[in-house]
Amino acid sequence: MAEWNAYFTAGVPYEALVDLLAAIGTREAPDAGFEGPEKVLKALTAQGWIRDVDRPHTTVTDPGFSASVSLEVLSSLVQDADPRPGLVGWQAWAEPVFGAPYQWCASFSASVPHALVAAFASSLASTVPVSRRTLPECAGGRLRIVRRS
């Protein structure tokens, strides 16, 4: 079994996956990057995300309330080298329309270094324009469209 795992559904923004992979590739030591969860929260709040009023030390939401990142007790389906029950890991999801099915989800097992999750989260929260050929229907009215000629 791997030391840790990360799981992604279809639809996760590929820029966030690329930045996660780049962070994995540039890590100098496997035992580095185990700063506390605050590293992930700071990566998001630095880009305007809002800490949850009820859970400010574990959960942040984008300003439009359509995506969240949270440190939660993980499902037993999320595999990790640490066998202890009740471990927490990061989860991220997009729910552009409240109550509708999630557009995408990501889960990081308990042993994923916070620095790697922070790289994913920072990319996710980036306000830099991205190129898309098609737009998700459920995100209508939440996206700023810039046409290139």
Side-chain angles (χ1 to χ4, degrees):
M1 172 187 288
E3 301 250 342
W4 54 264
N5 287 290
Y7 303 83
F8 306 96
T9 64
V12 171
Y14 67 85
E15 296 86 2
L17 294 175
V18 167
D19 288 345
L20 172 63
L21 292 172
I24 291 170
T26 58
R27 290 183 69 213
E28 293 181 17
D31 58 351
F34 283 95
E35 300 91 340
E38 191 63 27
K39 183 164 185 81
V40 177
L41 300 170
K42 284 182 179 178
L44 292 162
T45 57
Q47 297 196 55
W49 285 42
I50 305 161
R51 289 182 187 247
D52 186 277
V53 174
D54 296 322
R55 300 180 329 172
H57 302 292
T58 61
T59 305
V60 290
T61 302
D62 81 293
F65 298 101
S66 61
S68 297
V69 176
S70 184
L71 188 61
E72 303 279 346
V73 174
L74 296 169
S75 160
S76 61
L77 298 174
V78 177
Q79 300 286 311
D80 191 85
D82 188 337
R84 294 176 294 165
L87 295 173
V88 296
W90 290 101
Q91 297 184 66
W93 63 93
E95 183 184 21
V97 177
F98 182 73
Y102 292 160
Q103 186 176 351
W104 57 262
C105 301
S107 293
F108 297 86
S109 71
S111 297
V112 175
H114 295 293
L116 295 180
V117 179
F120 174 85
S122 180
S123 181
L124 186 64
S126 175
T127 58
V128 174
V130 295
S131 178
R132 295 289 186 267
R133 291 192 184 280
T134 59
L135 301 175
E137 279 184 36
C138 61
R142 293 185 171 268
L143 301 174
R144 184 176 62 149
I145 300 172
V146 178
R147 303 222 186 267
R148 294 187 293 177
S149 46

